[in-house]
Amino acid sequence: MSAKQKSESAARVVPADGLDALIRALARAGYTTIGPRVEDGAVTYRPVGSAADLPLDMVDEQGGGTYRLRASKGAGYFAHVVGPHSWKRYLYPPRQLMWRASRARSGFAVEAPEPAADKLAFIGVRACELRAMEIQDRVFDNGQFTDPGYRARRAAALVVAVNCGRAGDTCFCVSAGGGPRVEDGYDILLTEFPGKDHTFLVQAGSARGARVVKALRGGRDAGEADLRAAQRRTDAAAKAMGRELAGDAPQVLRENLEHPHWQRVAERCLNCANCTMVCPTCFCSTVEDVTALDGSHAERWRTWDSCFTTDFSYIHGGAIRRGGAARYRQWITHKLASWHEQFGTSGCTGCGRCITWCPVGIDITEEVRALAARGGRK
Amino acid sequence: MPATAATAATALPADPMVPVPYRITRVARELSDTFTVDLVPARGKAPFRFAPGQFNMLYVYGVGEVPISISGDPADGARVRHTIRAVGTVTDALRRLKKGAMVGLRGPFGTPWPLDLTEGCDVLIIGGGVGLAPLRPAIYEVLNNRDRYGKVCLFYGARTPDDILFRGELEKWRGRFDMFVDVTVDRATGRWAGPVGVVTQLIRRGGFDAYHACALVCGPEVMMRFAVPTLNEIGVANDRIFVSMERNMKCAVGFCGHCQFGGAFVCKDGPVFRYDTISKLFNVREL
Ligand SMILES: Cc1cc2nc3c(=O)[nH]c(=O)nc-3n(C[C@H](O)[C@H](O)[C@H](O)COP(=O)(O)OP(=O)(O)OC[C@H]3O[C@@H](n4cnc5c(N)ncnc54)[C@H](O)[C@@H]3O)c2cc1C
Ligand code: SF4
Ligand code: SF4
Ligand code: FES
């Protein structure tokens, strides 16, 4: 039997408390387990010690500019979809020390921290989020340059993915090509079957995942029927998807760079940068140089940045993208069009975060449609 | 040996974001706000190799880091030369550094002027202001291999006669029989008797074979905006025009996103672009 088949054969159906056993097993194996938790009324990704920390029987109601959690009896642990956090904050932290310099005889010496790769286990990674990781993998290893810190963190992270059984109100992963079914790239994959007979189908996708799955006690080996039942869950989620990204979005954007509609979006856009902060693929950063008061040490920090700030495009004489219209155009054309030229993939997974967390509810799918309808393809 | 090959393959690559200390061995004032520095590695003597048109990221201790083109001779691996106009925080700090001071250097980065493609052609070098600095290595390279090229013309524009960069070298080049040099200023002052006006006027006067010419253009974006149509008019096609773009840069390696210009990262897909590959974007406002 090949290694691949062997790991695939590690598929089990376990009762709901198997989730807790799984989290504890990962912790025993030396992983810091990170998963969904309710914090300030939203699902965020934070350290979790047991299944009790997870948002059991909670679903989210999302819309353009709105997010609300409500209890839903019997919904299960993963009935919610994505919230304001994404795994990006662990693989590509919002603030990172790049290097330190200290004054030395007649100059300075530079010292870069070793890329620390804490063993993190991500619990509850959605298909769109796996897709986002694959997209960022290309960003931080672009064929010419590699970010060693990102690479180390990514290699160390163990992914416990989860198939979505429900579509969020702002999701459009089907048309964006991001989900809802997890196909690849996981160590362990969960499919939840909530209800009276609450169980999980647990599948291993790697050798290290298989070791954990095999050690789970209780339950039974999964069969064909279980895999088909899992497929039905994601099929249902796919069918329930309410939004759709136009398939010709890259062309529509490239051909309408000077469209008057940009000005109309700019009238609504607050330039708050929320969309870029919540987006799991946005990667822009800036640097901060800090110095000790006595000048003995200097540090360079890299922090998340957004193309919605005016400073972002500043060059001597002024910013290039002075107006809000130019900045919104940058964001959406980068996501949906330029990304293809840069990385051979779209920069959007269809997770819907930018729609939900936009204070005025600007909807990326709607804007593409408006550009296509108004200007047409010139 | 297989073992070493495996180790090499799995070893983490050096972080391209970490600067290497270099020492200033010479500072020369060029203009009231422009100066040239020569740098050598603070440790070791490994020669610095670069191609004309490439740039480095220069870091001033505790202040910040900026992209600066290399302005020296590519045949000279012993020192790295930069010509800098002080316009703000970091470039002002660079200007205050003296011989012996240290800076951090990362590079070289970016695409070069296509001097192999231009072989056999007439070469038009068109610069404005401090834009002559990134072109100078190309001029050296062409002159170092003069027989590989056809006519060589340098058209340079400065704001006033006092802003003419590399004046001594311009005179020297003008004195050569195998190079045509013409300089214009926006505003004449003092005893200036040369042309006044934009650099595009000079292009029309050059005696070269436009259909077999390649143009290398570097200067303020407005200058390039005027230079390209003029070149087109006289018969230089867009795929024979190369421009060097300037954008905000925080990383130079494609990670920070600041330098994006449509689908291109100016830091790694540029700064030198063949004009036909960006012509659609070049005239879009605020892109
Ligand atoms: C590829 C490339 C090559 C360059 N080569 C040269 C050169 O050979 N000689 C030279 O004098 N100048 C060159 N420049 C311009 C030089 O980088 C800017 O003048 C410098 O960044 C200004 O920084 P500052 O801190 O002094 O100015 P401030 O106005 O204080 O700038 C603040 C910050 O904005 C950004 N910024 C401002 N102006 C520019 C700009 N023009 N380009 C990119 N980022 C900018 C920088 O991050 C800078 O730290 C080059 C720029 C690029 C992109
Ligand atoms: S652009 Fe919006 S929908 Fe697409 S991945 Fe980013 S946040 Fe999600
Ligand atoms: S340019 Fe804007 S849209 Fe593109 S990655 Fe950066 S912040 Fe996101
Ligand atoms: S300078 Fe950072 S991506 Fe080009």
Side-chain angles (χ1 to χ4, degrees):
Chain A
M1 219 199 269
S2 77
K4 174 87 181 157
Q5 286 167 317
K6 213 184 269 170
S7 60
E8 273 172 0
S9 73
R12 301 187 50 80
V13 175
V14 297
D17 60 8
L19 178 63
D20 193 54
L22 178 76
I23 294 173
R24 289 175 194 278
L26 288 169
R28 271 199 308 280
Y31 286 96
T32 302
T33 44
I34 318 273
R37 290 188 83 127
V38 177
E39 179 185 32
D40 296 333
V43 171
T44 58
Y45 296 148
R46 296 286 185 202
V48 289
S50 71
D53 291 334
L54 268 52
L56 178 64
D57 295 343
M58 296 289 256
V59 294
D60 40 23
E61 287 169 356
Q62 307 198 27
T66 64
Y67 180 100
R68 199 170 73 90
L69 279 176
R70 73 175 159 78
S72 169
K73 207 163 160 42
Y77 286 102
F78 296 103
H80 59 89
V81 292
V82 296
H85 277 189
S86 72
W87 303 101
K88 163 171 110 170
R89 67 176 43 244
Y90 292 100
L91 295 171
Y92 164 49
R95 193 171 148 81
Q96 298 174 59
L97 176 67
M98 297 173 72
W99 45 263
R100 276 195 181 89
S102 47
R103 275 230 180 275
R105 257 176 307 111
S106 69
F108 58 87
V110 181
E111 188 198 338
E114 276 295 305
D118 300 336
K119 278 174 73 177
L120 302 183
F122 300 157
I123 318 278
V125 179
R126 312 281 168 163
C128 63
E129 300 184 296
L130 265 169
R131 180 90 191 90
M133 289 181 200
E134 285 158 11
I135 291 173
Q136 283 214 328
D137 290 349
R138 300 191 196 196
V139 171
F140 294 121
D141 189 355
N142 59 31
Q144 246 177 299
F145 301 100
T146 309
D147 178 343
Y150 176 88
R151 190 162 91 163
R153 286 186 293 273
R154 177 74 159 104
L158 183 139
V159 172
V160 180
V162 65
N163 272 322
C164 287
R166 175 184 156 256
D169 311 305
T170 53
C171 295
F172 56 98
C173 63
V174 172
S175 51
R181 188 176 172 72
V182 175
E183 306 279 3
D184 224 332
Y186 58 87
D187 292 291
I188 297 170
L189 170 60
L190 307 176
T191 308
E192 184 172 27
F193 299 101
K196 221 159 79 217
D197 181 26
H198 192 177
T199 57
F200 281 97
L201 167 65
V202 188
Q203 291 166 276
S206 69
R208 64 182 176 174
R211 275 196 296 277
V212 181
V213 173
K214 282 191 180 133
L216 288 178
R217 260 170 258 164
R220 54 177 172 81
D221 281 339
E224 270 304 310
D226 301 304
L227 300 182
R228 275 199 304 274
Q231 175 83 46
R232 280 196 298 276
R233 298 272 301 157
T234 48
D235 285 350
K239 242 181 153 164
M241 202 118 334
R243 280 178 167 77
E244 192 181 341
L245 180 67
D248 59 351
Q251 297 89 291
V252 168
L253 293 168
R254 282 195 199 108
E255 289 164 20
N256 288 292
L257 292 176
E258 310 253 36
H259 199 282
H261 184 66
W262 297 118
Q263 203 48 54
R264 239 160 275 144
V265 190
E267 281 157 20
R268 285 182 292 147
C269 176
L270 308 177
N271 282 285
C272 69
N274 266 15
C275 51
T276 53
M277 296 293 118
V278 295
C279 178
T281 67
C282 268
F283 58 82
C284 284
S285 60
T286 187
V287 289
E288 261 173 49
D289 289 289
V290 296
T291 333
L293 275 181
D294 65 353
S296 58
H297 294 277
E299 288 175 353
R300 173 159 265 224
W301 289 79
R302 175 183 180 193
T303 57
W304 287 359
D305 199 4
S306 167
C307 56
F308 279 95
T309 71
T310 334
D311 274 359
F312 187 86
S313 64
Y314 179 83
I315 65 172
H316 173 62
I320 305 249
R321 297 182 204 109
R322 287 165 209 243
R327 297 203 287 276
Y328 188 82
R329 178 180 65 189
Q330 165 61 22
W331 134 260
I332 192 169
T333 49
H334 185 213
K335 286 279 109 173
L336 301 177
S338 319
W339 218 289
H340 287 279
E341 289 148 63
Q342 295 169 346
F343 305 108
T345 169
S346 167
C348 177
T349 68
C351 75
R353 286 180 177 91
C354 56
I355 304 172
T356 300
W357 299 95
C358 173
V360 295
I362 294 174
D363 180 336
I364 186 170
T365 63
E366 282 300 324
E367 297 313 326
V368 172
R369 207 162 300 130
L371 282 162
R374 287 164 195 263
R377 306 249 307 270
K378 278 178 279 187
Chain B
M1 228 166 57
T4 30
T7 333
T10 50
L12 284 175
D15 192 332
M17 309 276 270
V18 179
V20 176
Y22 271 65
R23 202 170 289 290
I24 299 179
T25 55
R26 175 177 160 271
V27 182
R29 191 183 131 131
E30 304 281 0
L31 305 170
S32 63
D33 59 355
T34 308
F35 57 99
T36 294
V37 289
D38 285 358
L39 308 172
V40 297
R43 239 162 283 123
K45 284 207 173 56
F48 186 90
R49 297 275 166 238
F50 74 99
Q54 288 193 295
F55 68 95
N56 286 322
M57 294 298 281
L58 297 186
Y59 167 73
V60 182
Y61 182 84
V63 181
E65 193 185 47
V66 288
I68 302 289
S69 301
I70 306 164
S71 71
D73 188 339
D76 174 6
R79 79 211 81 214
V80 195
R81 184 164 286 179
H82 287 286
T83 301
I84 306 163
R85 188 166 150 226
V87 297
T89 317
V90 179
T91 46
D92 280 339
L94 279 163
R95 179 161 62 165
R96 286 193 295 273
L97 296 179
K98 306 236 152 54
K99 181 179 165 179
M102 207 181 246
V103 295
L105 182 149
R106 299 190 288 129
F109 295 117
T111 53
W113 298 111
L115 294 174
D116 43 346
L117 289 179
T118 48
E119 277 186 28
C121 305
D122 287 2
V123 186
L124 315 180
I125 298 168
I126 302 163
V130 78
L132 186 55
L135 286 166
R136 190 167 69 167
I139 299 171
Y140 289 140
E141 176 112 338
V142 167
L143 295 180
N144 290 345
N145 304 282
R146 185 63 191 84
D147 53 338
R148 291 192 200 155
Y149 302 91
K151 279 215 161 108
V152 178
C153 304
L154 170 61
F155 303 113
Y156 177 58
R159 276 173 303 175
T160 73
D162 292 334
D163 295 308
I164 295 173
L165 190 60
F166 306 144
R167 204 164 181 152
E169 267 178 313
L170 285 168
E171 299 290 349
K172 212 172 71 192
W173 291 330
R174 202 206 284 271
R176 291 177 67 125
F177 295 111
D178 58 359
M179 184 172 178
F180 178 83
V181 177
D182 211 353
V183 178
T184 181
V185 295
D186 295 341
R187 211 154 31 81
T189 54
R191 293 182 324 196
W192 179 255
V196 177
V198 289
V199 73
T200 43
Q201 294 175 355
L202 304 182
I203 302 174
R204 295 184 195 279
R205 310 199 312 197
F208 50 83
D209 177 2
Y211 291 92
H212 294 102
C214 285
L216 317 182
V217 189
C218 186
E221 225 162 284
V222 286
M223 178 209 106
M224 302 202 280
R225 243 177 256 295
F226 285 109
V228 170
T230 309
L231 286 165
N232 290 160
E233 272 169 45
I234 61 171
V236 186
N238 282 347
D239 62 356
R240 293 177 156 262
I241 300 172
F242 297 84
V243 299
S244 184
M245 297 289 298
E246 210 179 339
R247 281 294 180 274
N248 186 303
M249 291 186 182
K250 296 295 178 204
C251 75
V253 294
F255 296 163
C256 79
H258 279 252
C259 68
Q260 286 179 79
F261 176 55
F265 290 104
V266 173
C267 65
K268 69 183 193 57
D269 306 321
V272 175
F273 292 94
R274 204 177 73 195
Y275 185 72
D276 62 324
T277 65
I278 55 163
S279 59
K280 264 178 118 173
L281 303 176
F282 197 73
N283 292 308
V284 177
R285 265 175 302 140
E286 297 189 45
L287 194 74

